[in-house]
PDB file of all heavy atoms in Angstrom:
ATOM      1  N   HIS C 255       9.179 -32.727  -1.796  1.00  0.00           N
ATOM      2  CA  HIS C 255      10.421 -33.282  -1.863  1.00  0.00           C
ATOM      3  C   HIS C 255      11.437 -32.259  -2.438  1.00  0.00           C
ATOM      4  O   HIS C 255      11.134 -31.421  -3.237  1.00  0.00           O
ATOM      5  CB  HIS C 255      10.435 -34.443  -2.838  1.00  0.00           C
ATOM      6  CG  HIS C 255      11.777 -35.255  -2.814  1.00  0.00           C
ATOM      7  ND1 HIS C 255      12.135 -35.976  -1.789  1.00  0.00           N
ATOM      8  CD2 HIS C 255      12.629 -35.471  -3.795  1.00  0.00           C
ATOM      9  CE1 HIS C 255      13.292 -36.512  -2.013  1.00  0.00           C
ATOM     10  NE2 HIS C 255      13.553 -36.234  -3.233  1.00  0.00           N
ATOM     11  N   VAL C 256      12.634 -32.182  -1.893  1.00  0.00           N
ATOM     12  CA  VAL C 256      13.705 -31.245  -2.346  1.00  0.00           C
ATOM     13  C   VAL C 256      14.670 -32.129  -3.165  1.00  0.00           C
ATOM     14  O   VAL C 256      15.172 -33.088  -2.879  1.00  0.00           O
ATOM     15  CB  VAL C 256      14.411 -30.605  -1.123  1.00  0.00           C
ATOM     16  CG1 VAL C 256      15.440 -29.531  -1.455  1.00  0.00           C
ATOM     17  CG2 VAL C 256      13.395 -30.105  -0.013  1.00  0.00           C
ATOM     18  N   GLU C 257      14.983 -31.518  -4.296  1.00  0.00           N
ATOM     19  CA  GLU C 257      15.986 -32.114  -5.246  1.00  0.00           C
ATOM     20  C   GLU C 257      17.418 -31.875  -4.740  1.00  0.00           C
ATOM     21  O   GLU C 257      17.808 -30.884  -4.371  1.00  0.00           O
ATOM     22  CB  GLU C 257      15.860 -31.464  -6.696  1.00  0.00           C
ATOM     23  CG  GLU C 257      14.576 -31.663  -7.376  1.00  0.00           C
ATOM     24  CD  GLU C 257      14.435 -33.117  -7.689  1.00  0.00           C
ATOM     25  OE1 GLU C 257      15.440 -33.851  -7.953  1.00  0.00           O
ATOM     26  OE2 GLU C 257      13.220 -33.598  -7.771  1.00  0.00           O
ATOM     27  N   LYS C 258      18.073 -33.089  -4.677  1.00  0.00           N
ATOM     28  CA  LYS C 258      19.496 -32.966  -4.222  1.00  0.00           C
ATOM     29  C   LYS C 258      20.383 -33.827  -5.137  1.00  0.00           C
ATOM     30  O   LYS C 258      20.144 -34.776  -5.682  1.00  0.00           O
ATOM     31  CB  LYS C 258      19.531 -33.566  -2.909  1.00  0.00           C
ATOM     32  CG  LYS C 258      18.971 -32.759  -1.792  1.00  0.00           C
ATOM     33  CD  LYS C 258      19.529 -33.181  -0.307  1.00  0.00           C
ATOM     34  CE  LYS C 258      18.954 -34.443   0.180  1.00  0.00           C
ATOM     35  NZ  LYS C 258      19.182 -34.732   1.494  1.00  0.00           N
ATOM     36  N   LYS C 259      21.642 -33.156  -5.390  1.00  0.00           N
ATOM     37  CA  LYS C 259      22.611 -33.963  -6.076  1.00  0.00           C
ATOM     38  C   LYS C 259      23.061 -35.114  -5.343  1.00  0.00           C
ATOM     39  O   LYS C 259      23.000 -35.103  -4.110  1.00  0.00           O
ATOM     40  CB  LYS C 259      23.710 -33.031  -6.464  1.00  0.00           C
ATOM     41  CG  LYS C 259      23.318 -32.061  -7.557  1.00  0.00           C
ATOM     42  CD  LYS C 259      24.602 -31.229  -7.969  1.00  0.00           C
ATOM     43  CE  LYS C 259      24.318 -29.991  -8.876  1.00  0.00           C
ATOM     44  NZ  LYS C 259      25.319 -28.941  -8.715  1.00  0.00           N
ATOM     45  N   PRO C 260      23.701 -36.146  -5.984  1.00  0.00           N
ATOM     46  CA  PRO C 260      24.301 -37.152  -5.281  1.00  0.00           C
ATOM     47  C   PRO C 260      25.376 -36.551  -4.244  1.00  0.00           C
ATOM     48  O   PRO C 260      26.104 -35.583  -4.643  1.00  0.00           O
ATOM     49  CB  PRO C 260      25.004 -38.094  -6.174  1.00  0.00           C
ATOM     50  CG  PRO C 260      24.611 -37.521  -7.685  1.00  0.00           C
ATOM     51  CD  PRO C 260      23.784 -36.318  -7.452  1.00  0.00           C
ATOM     52  N   GLN C 261      25.476 -37.282  -3.231  1.00  0.00           N
ATOM     53  CA  GLN C 261      26.438 -36.649  -2.155  1.00  0.00           C
ATOM     54  C   GLN C 261      27.918 -36.967  -2.425  1.00  0.00           C
ATOM     55  O   GLN C 261      28.281 -37.985  -2.855  1.00  0.00           O
ATOM     56  CB  GLN C 261      26.084 -37.349  -0.792  1.00  0.00           C
ATOM     57  CG  GLN C 261      26.718 -36.628   0.413  1.00  0.00           C
ATOM     58  CD  GLN C 261      26.145 -37.379   1.628  1.00  0.00           C
ATOM     59  OE1 GLN C 261      25.838 -38.513   1.714  1.00  0.00           O
ATOM     60  NE2 GLN C 261      26.067 -36.524   2.672  1.00  0.00           N
ATOM     61  N   LYS C 262      28.598 -35.740  -2.206  1.00  0.00           N
ATOM     62  CA  LYS C 262      30.138 -36.027  -2.374  1.00  0.00           C
ATOM     63  C   LYS C 262      30.860 -35.496  -1.053  1.00  0.00           C
ATOM     64  O   LYS C 262      30.978 -34.316  -0.732  1.00  0.00           O
ATOM     65  CB  LYS C 262      30.645 -35.086  -3.439  1.00  0.00           C
ATOM     66  CG  LYS C 262      30.838 -35.833  -4.963  1.00  0.00           C
ATOM     67  CD  LYS C 262      31.483 -34.990  -5.860  1.00  0.00           C
ATOM     68  CE  LYS C 262      30.330 -34.112  -6.613  1.00  0.00           C
ATOM     69  NZ  LYS C 262      30.840 -33.069  -7.459  1.00  0.00           N
ATOM     70  N   LEU C 263      31.095 -36.458  -0.179  1.00  0.00           N
ATOM     71  CA  LEU C 263      31.599 -36.219   1.138  1.00  0.00           C
ATOM     72  C   LEU C 263      33.019 -35.602   1.178  1.00  0.00           C
ATOM     73  O   LEU C 263      33.837 -36.229   0.354  1.00  0.00           O
ATOM     74  CB  LEU C 263      31.470 -37.396   2.036  1.00  0.00           C
ATOM     75  CG  LEU C 263      30.174 -37.521   2.795  1.00  0.00           C
ATOM     76  CD1 LEU C 263      30.405 -38.914   3.763  1.00  0.00           C
ATOM     77  CD2 LEU C 263      29.907 -36.313   3.657  1.00  0.00           C
ATOM     78  N   GLY C 264      33.242 -34.636   1.896  1.00  0.00           N
ATOM     79  CA  GLY C 264      34.658 -34.109   1.986  1.00  0.00           C
ATOM     80  C   GLY C 264      35.203 -34.293   3.426  1.00  0.00           C
ATOM     81  O   GLY C 264      34.987 -35.210   4.069  1.00  0.00           O
ATOM     82  N   ASP C 265      36.070 -33.358   3.739  1.00  0.00           N
ATOM     83  CA  ASP C 265      36.780 -33.520   4.990  1.00  0.00           C
ATOM     84  C   ASP C 265      35.956 -33.174   6.197  1.00  0.00           C
ATOM     85  O   ASP C 265      34.863 -32.588   5.969  1.00  0.00           O
ATOM     86  CB  ASP C 265      37.967 -32.418   4.998  1.00  0.00           C
ATOM     87  CG  ASP C 265      39.073 -32.865   3.949  1.00  0.00           C
ATOM     88  OD1 ASP C 265      39.067 -33.950   3.615  1.00  0.00           O
ATOM     89  OD2 ASP C 265      39.625 -31.792   3.637  1.00  0.00           O
ATOM     90  N   VAL C 266      36.357 -33.476   7.277  1.00  0.00           N
ATOM     91  CA  VAL C 266      35.593 -33.135   8.564  1.00  0.00           C
ATOM     92  C   VAL C 266      35.711 -31.493   8.750  1.00  0.00           C
ATOM     93  O   VAL C 266      36.903 -31.067   8.757  1.00  0.00           O
ATOM     94  CB  VAL C 266      36.013 -33.854   9.828  1.00  0.00           C
ATOM     95  CG1 VAL C 266      35.500 -33.230  11.104  1.00  0.00           C
ATOM     96  CG2 VAL C 266      35.774 -35.340   9.592  1.00  0.00           C
ATOM     97  N   ILE C 267      34.669 -30.866   8.777  1.00  0.00           N
ATOM     98  CA  ILE C 267      34.629 -29.409   8.953  1.00  0.00           C
ATOM     99  C   ILE C 267      34.375 -29.213  10.560  1.00  0.00           C
ATOM    100  O   ILE C 267      35.110 -28.341  11.089  1.00  0.00           O
ATOM    101  CB  ILE C 267      33.516 -28.698   8.158  1.00  0.00           C
ATOM    102  CG1 ILE C 267      33.674 -29.067   6.757  1.00  0.00           C
ATOM    103  CG2 ILE C 267      33.489 -27.327   8.378  1.00  0.00           C
ATOM    104  CD1 ILE C 267      34.897 -28.465   6.138  1.00  0.00           C
ATOM    105  N   LEU C 268      33.495 -29.733  11.073  1.00  0.00           N
ATOM    106  CA  LEU C 268      33.164 -29.436  12.403  1.00  0.00           C
ATOM    107  C   LEU C 268      33.243 -30.779  13.249  1.00  0.00           C
ATOM    108  O   LEU C 268      32.647 -31.719  12.874  1.00  0.00           O
ATOM    109  CB  LEU C 268      31.658 -28.859  12.613  1.00  0.00           C
ATOM    110  CG  LEU C 268      31.112 -28.598  13.948  1.00  0.00           C
ATOM    111  CD1 LEU C 268      31.823 -27.493  14.565  1.00  0.00           C
ATOM    112  CD2 LEU C 268      29.617 -28.640  13.986  1.00  0.00           C
ATOM    113  N   LYS C 269      33.911 -30.772  14.368  1.00  0.00           N
ATOM    114  CA  LYS C 269      33.910 -31.782  15.306  1.00  0.00           C
ATOM    115  C   LYS C 269      33.592 -31.311  16.578  1.00  0.00           C
ATOM    116  O   LYS C 269      34.167 -30.363  17.100  1.00  0.00           O
ATOM    117  CB  LYS C 269      35.361 -32.338  15.289  1.00  0.00           C
ATOM    118  CG  LYS C 269      35.562 -33.684  16.006  1.00  0.00           C
ATOM    119  CD  LYS C 269      36.862 -34.203  15.597  1.00  0.00           C
ATOM    120  CE  LYS C 269      36.928 -35.626  16.264  1.00  0.00           C
ATOM    121  NZ  LYS C 269      38.416 -36.177  16.182  1.00  0.00           N
ATOM    122  N   VAL C 270      32.592 -32.004  17.277  1.00  0.00           N
ATOM    123  CA  VAL C 270      32.148 -31.667  18.616  1.00  0.00           C
ATOM    124  C   VAL C 270      32.392 -32.857  19.509  1.00  0.00           C
ATOM    125  O   VAL C 270      32.005 -33.968  19.131  1.00  0.00           O
ATOM    126  CB  VAL C 270      30.593 -31.239  18.599  1.00  0.00           C
ATOM    127  CG1 VAL C 270      30.183 -31.088  20.024  1.00  0.00           C
ATOM    128  CG2 VAL C 270      30.244 -30.146  17.678  1.00  0.00           C
ATOM    129  N   GLU C 271      33.099 -32.666  20.647  1.00  0.00           N
ATOM    130  CA  GLU C 271      33.593 -33.791  21.486  1.00  0.00           C
ATOM    131  C   GLU C 271      33.018 -33.420  22.836  1.00  0.00           C
ATOM    132  O   GLU C 271      33.345 -32.385  23.439  1.00  0.00           O
ATOM    133  CB  GLU C 271      35.057 -33.839  21.494  1.00  0.00           C
ATOM    134  CG  GLU C 271      35.536 -34.399  20.168  1.00  0.00           C
ATOM    135  CD  GLU C 271      37.075 -34.085  20.168  1.00  0.00           C
ATOM    136  OE1 GLU C 271      37.515 -33.066  19.627  1.00  0.00           O
ATOM    137  OE2 GLU C 271      37.755 -35.027  20.473  1.00  0.00           O
ATOM    138  N   ASN C 272      32.193 -34.247  23.308  1.00  0.00           N
ATOM    139  CA  ASN C 272      31.722 -34.251  24.798  1.00  0.00           C
ATOM    140  C   ASN C 272      31.203 -32.862  25.245  1.00  0.00           C
ATOM    141  O   ASN C 272      31.423 -32.457  26.313  1.00  0.00           O
ATOM    142  CB  ASN C 272      32.788 -34.801  25.751  1.00  0.00           C
ATOM    143  CG  ASN C 272      33.346 -36.089  25.368  1.00  0.00           C
ATOM    144  OD1 ASN C 272      32.636 -36.949  25.006  1.00  0.00           O
ATOM    145  ND2 ASN C 272      34.737 -36.183  25.440  1.00  0.00           N
ATOM    146  N   MET C 273      30.451 -32.210  24.337  1.00  0.00           N
ATOM    147  CA  MET C 273      30.104 -30.829  24.589  1.00  0.00           C
ATOM    148  C   MET C 273      29.083 -30.826  25.721  1.00  0.00           C
ATOM    149  O   MET C 273      27.996 -31.610  25.673  1.00  0.00           O
ATOM    150  CB  MET C 273      29.477 -30.197  23.382  1.00  0.00           C
ATOM    151  CG  MET C 273      28.909 -28.961  23.470  1.00  0.00           C
ATOM    152  SD  MET C 273      28.798 -28.200  21.851  1.00  0.00           S
ATOM    153  CE  MET C 273      27.521 -26.989  22.205  1.00  0.00           C
ATOM    154  N   THR C 274      29.147 -29.854  26.641  1.00  0.00           N
ATOM    155  CA  THR C 274      28.153 -29.806  27.799  1.00  0.00           C
ATOM    156  C   THR C 274      27.908 -28.371  27.935  1.00  0.00           C
ATOM    157  O   THR C 274      28.882 -27.589  28.020  1.00  0.00           O
ATOM    158  CB  THR C 274      28.639 -30.503  29.066  1.00  0.00           C
ATOM    159  OG1 THR C 274      29.114 -31.884  28.808  1.00  0.00           O
ATOM    160  CG2 THR C 274      27.721 -30.397  30.123  1.00  0.00           C
ATOM    161  N   VAL C 275      26.672 -27.959  28.060  1.00  0.00           N
ATOM    162  CA  VAL C 275      26.349 -26.626  28.226  1.00  0.00           C
ATOM    163  C   VAL C 275      25.313 -26.557  29.381  1.00  0.00           C
ATOM    164  O   VAL C 275      24.378 -27.350  29.455  1.00  0.00           O
ATOM    165  CB  VAL C 275      25.705 -25.966  26.964  1.00  0.00           C
ATOM    166  CG1 VAL C 275      25.285 -24.515  27.133  1.00  0.00           C
ATOM    167  CG2 VAL C 275      26.344 -26.227  25.755  1.00  0.00           C
ATOM    168  N   ALA C 276      25.564 -25.606  30.312  1.00  0.00           N
ATOM    169  CA  ALA C 276      24.555 -25.344  31.321  1.00  0.00           C
ATOM    170  C   ALA C 276      23.391 -24.604  30.898  1.00  0.00           C
ATOM    171  O   ALA C 276      23.450 -23.937  29.779  1.00  0.00           O
ATOM    172  CB  ALA C 276      25.204 -24.464  32.510  1.00  0.00           C
ATOM    173  N   SER C 277      22.277 -24.778  31.474  1.00  0.00           N
ATOM    174  CA  SER C 277      21.102 -24.137  30.943  1.00  0.00           C
ATOM    175  C   SER C 277      20.478 -23.054  31.951  1.00  0.00           C
ATOM    176  O   SER C 277      20.670 -23.280  33.265  1.00  0.00           O
ATOM    177  CB  SER C 277      19.915 -25.120  30.784  1.00  0.00           C
ATOM    178  OG  SER C 277      18.704 -24.383  30.573  1.00  0.00           O
TER     179      SER C 277
END
Side-chain angles (χ1 to χ4, degrees):
Chain C
H255 191 67
V256 185
E257 292 297 327
K258 289 199 285 192
K259 285 184 193 159
Q261 194 174 28
K262 266 186 271 170
L263 269 183
D265 298 335
V266 173
I267 302 291
L268 173 74
K269 191 170 181 187
V270 177
E271 293 163 273
N272 305 318
M273 176 168 155
T274 300
V275 186
S277 171

